[in-house]
Amino acid sequence: MLVRGKAVLLAFLAFVCFGVAPVQAGTVYITADNLEGTNLFGTLDVATGQFSQIASTDPLFLGLTTGPGGKIYGADANSGHLFTISTSGATNQYGNVTAPSTFYGLAYSRSAGNFFADNLDSMNVTLYAIAGDGNSSSLVGQIAGPNSGFFPTGNLAFGPGGNLYFNYSSDLINGTNSTLYTINPSTGALAAVGNGLGSGILSLFSDGTTLYGIDANLTSDIGVFRIDTTTGIATQVSTVTGLPGGDSFYVDAATVSTPDTGSTLALFLFAMAPLIGGSRLRRSLKPS
């Protein structure tokens, strides 16, 4: 009976753990703006392209990432500061770092414990490393320049293989057919992946397994793409719908936020401990 009881308990634990797994799936959060001071924060269904607005924000977030504590962090183009963004859209300044000009991309390295951000000025794009507490930064190196192309917002993301990805178009006439690059986080040096995405400039995000991009230079028929990180080719999977105001909003940045499954499991086991302990106690006291 004791063996059978343990089997039932383990089966129950497995049922609960697997049962909560779908709830822990990552949520894609994006920002968008209409160039007139209205800045949106919401979620995106990658498969359907449906945007669901959560809030309007005072900061204009051109870069998003998921960082320390599993929180969402954004780089504000208005103040130059980093902010935390709650899942309800509430924002709070994080640290004291200020962009030299404007941070167009933001990515957090779990292995290094710090952020990376690329700064765009009128001539160059430079990569900065920002301490995990947001209070200090250092120049890593120049990514591109001078005046070398069209650059999207939300253009940094850690993705498959732990690589730091970036894209831009060197087509100074139309800004089409941008190229995917990996960035050396120690030097800022770029290495091209393939010969072109086959799309315009894209805001990048990743769930750790797949790299995605969203058209960052369009206000209508905004494509959502899956990017092959071996060939550098982007394949459209959906078109963004649900942005308000007709064709007036640009998608600025995106990130995938995944709940902390470890803490959820820990809470569950904590709640189960008295039951398990009580069950064992009753067995030990049961007359033979």
Side-chain angles (χ1 to χ4, degrees), residues 222-248:
I222 301 171
V224 181
F225 297 84
R226 181 177 58 252
I227 302 171
D228 187 324
T229 55
T230 60
T231 65
I233 295 175
T235 302
Q236 187 167 347
V237 295
S238 61
T239 301
V240 177
T241 58
L243 287 169
D247 298 333
S248 59

Side-chain angles (χ1 to χ4, degrees), residues 86-139:
S86 74
T87 54
S88 63
T91 62
N92 287 287
Q93 185 177 327
Y94 184 75
N96 300 314
V97 165
T98 303
S101 296
T102 306
F103 287 142
Y104 263 53
L106 184 67
Y108 180 71
S109 169
R110 287 186 176 86
S111 60
N114 59 259
F115 299 91
F116 289 93
D118 64 287
N119 181 77
L120 265 72
D121 60 30
S122 59
M123 293 295 287
N124 299 294
V125 186
T126 45
L127 183 68
Y128 283 79
I130 302 173
D133 61 6
N135 286 320
S136 62
S137 64
S138 59
L139 175 65

Side-chain angles (χ1 to χ4, degrees), residues 73-91:
Y73 296 77
D76 174 31
N78 294 327
S79 66
H81 297 308
L82 301 188
F83 282 76
T84 58
I85 313 168
S86 74
T87 54
S88 63
T91 62

Side-chain angles (χ1 to χ4, degrees), residues 33-34 218-222 239-250:
D33 84 285
N34 65 353
L218 299 174
T219 58
S220 62
D221 298 323
I222 301 171
T239 301
V240 177
T241 58
L243 287 169
D247 298 333
S248 59
F249 281 87
Y250 293 91

